Amino acid sequence: MILGNLSGPSEFRLLGFSGNSHLHPLLFVILLSLYILTLVANTVIAFTINTDNTLHTPMYFFLTQLSCLDICYLSAMIPTILENLVVGTVSISKARCAMQMFSFLFFGVAECFLLAAMSLDRYFAVCHPLHYTIIMSSRVCRGLVAGCYICGAAVGLIHTLLTFSSPLCGSAIDHFFCEIQPMLDLLCGSTLPRELQVILVAVFAILSPFLLIIYSYIHIISTILHMASAESRQKAFSTCSSHLLVVTLFYGTAGSTYLRPKSTYCAAVDKFLSLSYSVLTPLLNPIIYSLRNKEFPEALGWEALWRREIFQCPGCSRGCRTCAGLCSALGALPCPVSQGVKFHRLNLFSSD
């Protein structure tokens, strides 16, 4: 109802890859294969975490949310891209275009803040291990995730309404979905106010979570460097390396797209970057976490790939609650109570 009263054309044309029609069959097969592979990989990650009690820790709770966001984010974009490759130029209604932009912003911004929440989890796990289970309780984790979704919804709704309420003087979008930058080309008159709007959104949704991540890892690295043994430093850093790789991949592509002025915008480059963070990032996320964490092969029955000795900690009489933070966050680090005895991984969500 609201969109029906907004100015501009009632229908848009997504030009997509119109200049490379001979590559459409190959691109269709590649993107469809990557889409299916990404859905399967992220579904396996989420299912494995939910069904294996040894993975019911804050880190893997956030990873489940990341997999769900990646599935939704990809599913909002890929069907339109595949349709564009099959039929060429795609006609899309204003309501569908607005919904696509909202979905793109909602899931993308929520993922930005979720990565920041995951960095906080690593910060408390490494820097405050003995208080980790108290700080990162299930209630706190759910509250952080809810905050991520609220920020995503707010940014998506505000930006979408502002964009589609502005006068639009064209209907051809030189992209394969209703992306932010190509929509600026359709605005009548000066686009400076909307460019500033995009920059403000990018600062709030991309730069502010990124600064929180940087702040967390400054303290994490400082704590790791002050650990006594090389083995402890290596194991502590290994718990953060997966998250660092995912952050670098996501923010590298998203930041290069949105944290730059419109004068440097190039349609071909922007399409490539959009494909990178729309297709490759959701695919690589589960691969990075599954390859760099030994818990997944164990949960999937691949213990032979990484054999580990896991012992009950004899130094803690109440189910190892004293060192539960280290158990879940740093795996097989020496127990602070029994000094040198390795201990088991706990289900931190069994009780608050």
Side-chain angles (χ1 to χ4, degrees):
M1 179 67 69
I2 296 176
L3 291 174
N5 297 326
L6 300 183
S7 58
S10 60
E11 194 175 76
F12 297 96
R13 292 181 298 114
L14 297 174
L15 302 182
F17 303 97
S18 56
N20 303 283
S21 57
H22 61 287
L23 296 177
H24 285 192
L26 177 61
L27 288 173
F28 179 85
V29 173
I30 292 175
L31 289 179
L32 181 60
S33 300
L34 291 176
Y35 180 48
I36 294 173
L37 184 60
T38 303
L39 291 181
V40 172
N42 282 283
T43 301
V44 169
I45 291 289
F47 178 79
T48 302
I49 293 173
N50 284 322
T51 56
D52 193 319
N53 290 333
T54 63
L55 301 180
H56 287 183
T57 64
M59 181 178 74
Y60 290 107
F61 172 73
F62 289 126
L63 183 55
T64 302
Q65 301 301 317
L66 182 65
S67 294
C68 294
L69 278 176
D70 283 339
I71 291 174
C72 296
Y73 182 84
L74 195 63
S75 298
M77 306 300 136
I78 289 296
T80 303
I81 299 176
L82 296 177
E83 181 184 359
N84 185 279
L85 292 172
V86 172
V87 303
T89 301
V90 174
S91 295
I92 182 172
S93 66
K94 174 178 284 189
R96 184 184 171 191
C97 187
M99 182 57 65
Q100 195 174 75
M101 176 178 283
F102 171 78
S103 300
F104 164 75
L105 288 168
F106 171 53
F107 296 122
V109 172
E111 184 161 339
C112 286
F113 283 95
L114 182 63
L115 290 174
M118 295 172 76
S119 73
L120 282 179
D121 172 65
R122 295 299 84 208
Y123 164 75
F124 289 121
V126 175
C127 301
H128 304 281
L130 299 181
H131 299 93
Y132 177 64
T133 54
I134 299 174
I135 298 172
M136 296 301 295
S137 64
S138 59
R139 181 177 301 175
V140 171
C141 292
R142 295 189 186 104
L144 288 172
V145 170
C148 296
Y149 287 123
I150 290 173
C151 289
V155 171
L157 184 62
I158 293 173
H159 190 84
T160 301
L161 289 178
L162 287 176
T163 299
F164 284 87
S165 62
S166 302
L168 300 175
C169 297
S171 61
I173 302 175
D174 190 11
H175 214 281
F176 38 75
F177 64 92
C178 295
E179 232 266 26
I180 298 172
Q181 293 287 356
M183 292 298 297
L184 290 178
D185 294 331
L186 303 182
L187 295 177
C188 301
S190 174
T191 61
L192 181 60
R194 290 295 173 258
E195 288 183 54
L196 294 177
Q197 171 192 322
V198 171
I199 293 175
L200 288 176
V201 169
V203 168
F204 172 73
I206 298 178
L207 192 57
S208 57
F210 183 70
L211 292 177
L212 179 59
I213 293 172
I214 294 296
Y215 174 82
S216 299
Y217 273 100
I218 289 175
H219 289 275
I220 289 173
I221 293 173
S222 176
T223 301
I224 292 176
L225 292 178
H226 285 85
M227 288 182 176
S229 67
E231 181 184 6
S232 297
R233 290 194 295 270
Q234 190 276 328
K235 290 176 180 177
F237 183 75
S238 67
T239 65
C240 305
S241 58
S242 300
H243 181 255
L244 273 176
L245 287 174
V246 170
V247 167
T248 302
L249 183 65
F250 182 84
Y251 278 93
T253 53
S256 60
T257 301
Y258 298 110
L259 294 177
R260 59 187 173 93
K262 183 174 177 288
S263 58
T264 63
Y265 171 74
C266 175
V269 174
D270 188 67
K271 290 177 185 179
F272 173 77
L273 292 174
S274 295
L275 277 179
S276 298
Y277 64 75
S278 298
V279 179
L280 294 182
T281 302
L283 173 62
L284 293 177
N285 284 351
I287 295 176
I288 290 172
Y289 272 98
S290 60
L291 290 180
R292 298 193 64 86
N293 289 279
K294 297 179 181 180
E295 290 82 2
F296 274 106
E298 293 174 358
L300 294 170
W302 301 343
E303 295 91 345
L305 294 178
W306 285 291
R307 293 192 180 277
R308 293 177 11 176
E309 291 182 308
I310 303 177
F311 299 93
Q312 171 73 33
C313 172
C316 305
S317 59
R318 294 191 297 274
C320 205
R321 288 289 293 184
T322 302
C323 54
L326 282 173
C327 288
S328 64
L330 306 181
L333 282 177
C335 175
V337 177
S338 56
Q339 289 299 317
V341 178
K342 297 180 180 181
F343 44 74
H344 69 296
R345 188 169 298 275
L346 296 177
N347 179 356
L348 296 184
F349 282 1
S350 59
S351 63
D352 282 337

